[in-house]
Amino acid sequence: MRWPRQLMSLLFVLTLLAGPPIVLLFLVGPPALGWPTAAQAREWVQDPLTEKTLTAALTIAAWLVWLLLAYTVTIRVLTRLSATVSWLRRMPLPTPWQATAGGIAGAAVLGVSSHAITAPPPPPTQPVAAGTLDEAGNLTPPDGATLADAGISVAGGWLPRETAEQVSAAAALVWLRRRRSYRPRPPGPPSREDTDLAPLPPTVTAVQAALADSTPPGEPGAASAGSSLLDRPAVGGAFPRAGVGFTGAGAQDAARGLLVTSLLAGRHHPAVSVVVTRSVLAGLLGPTAETLARHLPGLAVVDNLGQAAGFFSGDHPGRGLAGRDPAHRDTQEGAGPPGPTLIVDVASATDNADVLVSLAITSAAVAVLGRWPAGQTWQIDPSGHTHHQDSSGSAGPRMCVLTQVTVTDLLTVIAHPGTAPPEPGTSGPSRNPALAGRSPQWEATAQDHPVRSGNDTRRLQLRVLGEPTLLLDGHPVEIRRTAALQVLVFLAAHPDGADTRQLTDAIWPGLPRRSLTGRLYTTLSDLRATIRSTAGVTLIEHSDDRYRLDSTGVTVDLWHFHHAVRDATTAVATDATTWKAVIDAYPADLAARRTWPWLVPIREATRRHVIDAHAALASASPDARQALAWLQAGIRIDPYNAELHTRAVSAFITLGDHDAADHLRKDYARRLAAAGIVPTEPALTTATHRDHPAIPTR
């Protein structure tokens, strides 16, 4: 209990404030008023160290110390009271009784010392981004700093803001590629365990969550994936032309950060963006170096600098800026991307110093792992801060720093898959601990959550297909905290419930769980209080350390949707009516425009059910035009799916409308290009020409 400690703190402070004056008044008496007389001053000059003068000096010193203590306590109390009053003003006061309670609490605060006032919770020890979480569960920067200036901190590294945005764009491309490659499957069990629905690595989701907290909600996809990226490594400043040596505890982590930032910046250029020696790559990535290197576009692994020179020659596609005036390398814009980034060890650099200096002229950056006498040398600490190892010792730019595990996570979203996409329906493990260990997390069962008929008398409705909204008798209920809205959607997507670990890992990825348990309890308490005061019911049940929505008190549109899917896939004779019911139960994407990382796999699984329904209706339709209409409706649900476009093009050709087929094919190619997806082969054209060899491709 806290009140005994608070009472002891109050008594201790009162003793400090009242004890010294009482002792001084009892032993010495009240302080003398007025200044010393001339006779007393002459007497003190003649004999300063008398018992009387020493007693007076000690008394004055004691009173000054007491005054300093009293001043400090007063300022501290006023500061705490100001913070408490500001907090009380932000408290929701829906009823006069709560207002009265707030006034009583304020009066109680005025009667205790500073130690009895609870300070705001300290920031997490390993924040996802520079800043703290506010009362609404959002990320806020400290002391006026901005997320753009501070960058993104994750467990095992730090990324500049622009690099974090590139990671988020690459992650969006991963999901777009998965959407493009998905092939609608025949009707079957509603549970989805497709391996390409596995969540992205934890580091990627932590970066996405940090960026989502700093930007308005929006639909991830083509806009974010196709955004323009930096052409130079994001290190906060240009590299020295002669290269730079990395030393210090953060040298290896900085080299990994340079590897990632250079590969991300070069994703939209066909040229090689990073050249690294094999020994350095093995030291940076560990046992997975060779496997990752085979799937990383833009990465060239060489054995020595002699081989590296070929990537900077005038006739090599990775030449970059070779042949241009070195003095204008950093000032000319629009002349193409810079040359590759070169990362070597100090032994290779020393043995080939002249070659390295010449390569540095045509490269974006040259990093030497060790002291580099021919150029600058930066001392790098584990947080990425650099200092020049010269006479000045001045500070340099802050580098992106990543541990071996973290860099492997980030490279996963850059790497191109080496095999064809897995067939739908194949099972595979999930890497997300919040979703692991249970049978399909986002599938409701009709037995556990029966769907009532049209005379449903439940007053609360939770809509999560589209903009998440909680309705009471058809009117929206205001959910004050963003984290509380996430909890509602998460529990709607997990009808069997979720424990504390799953909720904190999903809503605040990357943060230490020990610092979030209290925040989750606060969020849930506020959500329960809001619903109880508004609807008079307890919407969220808590038993066996699991939270779940009370199905007897709320209707959830996602549960209706999964009930329709189960009816369509388990019926003895599936007909068009059951699949139309699936389509009718899907008004929009799950939590549309929300960028919560945990949501994407569930959203994609839900969308695939609808795509399956459109494809099944198109296949079963005896009329070609009606089949084409179902395919076009499916394309509106997922405009990136290649299989739907292939079937639609074939349907147009079957109907003899070759111009429409060609127009659809070109529109699809433009859409993929705008999203940043450049297919390695014209899959759509090839498939169409295979099905209709008499039709020329244009």
Side-chain angles (χ1 to χ4, degrees):
M1 298 178 65
R2 294 174 55 190
W3 69 265
R5 294 195 301 270
Q6 296 175 352
L7 180 60
M8 292 300 298
S9 298
L10 176 61
L11 293 177
F12 179 73
V13 172
L14 292 178
T15 301
L16 284 179
L17 292 177
I22 293 175
V23 172
L24 289 173
L25 291 175
F26 179 77
L27 296 179
V28 182
L33 300 178
W35 295 95
T37 63
Q40 291 175 336
R42 286 194 301 270
E43 181 182 354
W44 178 79
V45 171
Q46 293 174 359
D47 191 5
L49 298 179
T50 63
E51 180 180 355
K52 183 177 180 180
T53 57
L54 289 176
T55 302
L58 292 175
T59 302
I60 293 173
W63 280 108
L64 290 176
V65 171
W66 178 83
L67 288 174
L68 179 61
L69 175 64
Y71 172 80
T72 303
V73 172
T74 302
I75 295 300
R76 186 73 171 175
V77 170
L78 291 177
T79 302
R80 295 293 186 178
L81 287 179
S82 177
T84 304
V85 170
S86 300
W87 175 75
L88 289 175
R89 288 176 180 173
R90 295 193 299 268
M91 286 184 62
L93 301 175
T95 64
W97 286 105
Q98 292 185 357
T100 304
I104 296 175
V109 168
L110 295 176
V112 300
S113 70
S114 61
H115 296 276
I117 301 173
T118 304
T125 56
Q126 293 180 344
V128 171
T132 57
L133 293 168
D134 61 18
E135 294 181 356
N138 299 320
L139 203 61
T140 57
D143 302 329
T146 63
L147 190 63
D149 294 334
I152 303 293
S153 294
V154 296
W158 180 88
L159 298 85
R161 174 60 183 256
E162 57 267 30
T163 301
E165 291 174 345
Q166 292 167 351
V167 169
S168 181
L173 279 178
V174 170
W175 285 110
L176 286 184
R177 291 192 182 99
R178 293 178 179 182
R179 291 170 61 177
R180 179 193 61 177
S181 303
Y182 173 69
R183 297 177 181 176
R185 66 187 189 185
S191 61
R192 308 205 78 104
E193 297 181 356
D194 306 352
T195 55
D196 63 340
L197 287 178
L200 297 181
T203 304
V204 179
T205 59
V207 171
Q208 290 178 303
L211 290 175
D213 284 330
S214 64
T215 55
E219 174 67 21
S224 60
S227 58
S228 61
L229 302 178
L230 297 180
D231 288 334
R232 296 184 60 83
V235 297
F239 260 60
R241 184 168 289 109
V244 61
F246 289 175
T247 61
Q252 291 280 334
D253 292 348
R256 297 186 189 98
L258 181 61
L259 175 69
V260 168
T261 54
S262 300
L263 289 174
L264 285 169
R267 286 190 307 120
H268 293 303
H269 302 298
V272 170
S273 54
V274 177
V275 179
V276 61
T277 58
R278 197 174 305 277
S279 59
V280 168
L281 188 66
L284 296 180
L285 303 184
T288 62
E290 291 294 334
T291 303
L292 276 175
R294 287 194 295 267
H295 302 292
L296 287 174
L299 176 65
V301 183
V302 297
D303 293 319
N304 51 62
L305 284 183
Q307 295 179 0
F311 293 95
F312 298 87
S313 61
D315 57 350
H316 197 279
R319 175 175 89 80
L321 303 183
R324 288 173 48 191
D325 183 0
H328 299 124
R329 183 185 62 172
D330 298 329
T331 59
Q332 290 185 352
E333 296 181 359
T341 294
L342 180 61
I343 307 176
V344 297
D345 56 17
V346 68
S348 299
T350 304
D351 295 340
N352 303 272
D354 295 338
V355 176
L356 186 61
V357 171
S358 64
L359 295 181
I361 298 176
T362 56
S363 66
V366 172
V368 179
L369 296 184
R371 189 173 184 85
W372 178 229
Q376 297 184 16
T377 298
W378 291 350
Q379 181 82 19
I380 307 176
D381 63 22
S383 62
H385 292 96
T386 63
H387 290 82
H388 294 234
Q389 283 192 338
D390 52 21
S391 57
S392 64
S394 58
R398 187 175 185 182
M399 296 284 296
C400 174
V401 285
L402 303 169
T403 63
Q404 198 170 93
V405 174
T406 306
V407 75
T408 303
D409 281 355
L410 296 184
L411 290 177
T412 300
V413 300
I414 307 175
H416 285 170
T419 57
E423 290 295 328
T426 57
S427 60
S430 170
R431 293 190 58 187
N432 189 341
L435 301 178
R438 304 189 63 83
S439 63
Q441 288 287 315
W442 47 81
E443 298 296 342
T445 60
Q447 293 78 11
D448 295 339
H449 302 282
V451 178
R452 301 187 185 184
S453 59
N455 58 355
D456 196 334
T457 60
R458 287 175 288 188
R459 301 174 60 199
L460 280 175
Q461 294 178 311
L462 179 59
R463 296 179 182 174
V464 296
L465 295 174
E467 177 64 22
T469 308
L470 180 64
L471 300 173
L472 175 63
D473 296 332
H475 300 286
V477 176
E478 182 182 2
I479 306 298
R480 190 171 65 93
R481 298 171 181 261
T482 304
L485 186 62
Q486 281 203 65
V487 168
L488 283 178
V489 179
F490 191 90
L491 294 180
H494 299 74
D496 56 344
D499 56 25
T500 301
R501 177 185 61 83
Q502 291 172 317
L503 286 171
T504 54
D505 286 351
I507 298 175
W508 297 289
L511 294 177
R513 195 177 300 120
R514 62 181 180 276
S515 67
L516 297 173
T517 302
R519 186 169 298 277
L520 176 63
Y521 292 158
T522 302
T523 300
L524 290 170
S525 298
D526 180 82
L527 178 60
R528 285 171 155 179
T530 299
I531 298 174
R532 190 182 302 112
S533 62
T534 305
V537 298
T538 301
L539 178 60
I540 300 178
E541 299 176 336
H542 184 210
S543 60
D544 300 328
D545 194 32
R546 296 189 66 79
Y547 298 91
R548 58 178 56 86
L549 295 178
D550 182 9
S551 59
T552 63
V554 64
T555 60
V556 182
D557 58 353
L558 182 61
W559 297 352
H560 283 261
F561 172 80
H562 282 302
H563 184 85
V565 172
R566 185 170 296 277
D567 285 346
T569 55
T570 59
V572 177
T574 303
D575 56 15
T577 303
T578 57
W579 285 115
K580 289 179 182 178
V582 173
I583 296 174
D584 293 339
Y586 187 83
D589 290 340
L590 178 63
R593 298 178 62 248
R594 300 290 171 169
T595 57
W596 306 323
W598 63 265
L599 182 65
V600 181
I602 309 176
R603 176 187 287 153
E604 296 306 320
T606 307
R607 182 189 285 118
R608 289 183 179 185
H609 287 308
V610 187
I611 295 176
D612 291 344
H614 284 87
L617 287 170
S619 299
S621 178
D623 181 64
R625 293 192 178 276
Q626 183 60 43
L628 176 61
W630 285 120
L631 291 172
Q632 290 175 317
I635 289 175
R636 287 192 290 271
I637 297 296
D638 190 351
Y640 296 96
N641 185 265
E643 181 70 17
L644 292 179
H645 281 82
T646 300
R647 295 188 187 183
V649 168
S650 299
F652 273 123
I653 295 175
T654 300
L655 293 172
D657 196 344
H658 298 167
D659 290 337
D662 191 53
H663 181 73
L664 177 61
R665 187 164 44 233
K666 291 180 179 178
D667 280 349
Y668 182 58
R670 282 193 294 266
R671 184 179 299 112
L672 292 181
I677 300 177
V678 181
T680 55
E681 68 279 339
L684 183 57
T685 302
T686 301
T688 304
H689 190 64
R690 180 188 65 238
D691 297 335
H692 302 273
I695 304 299
T697 58
R698 289 188 267 178

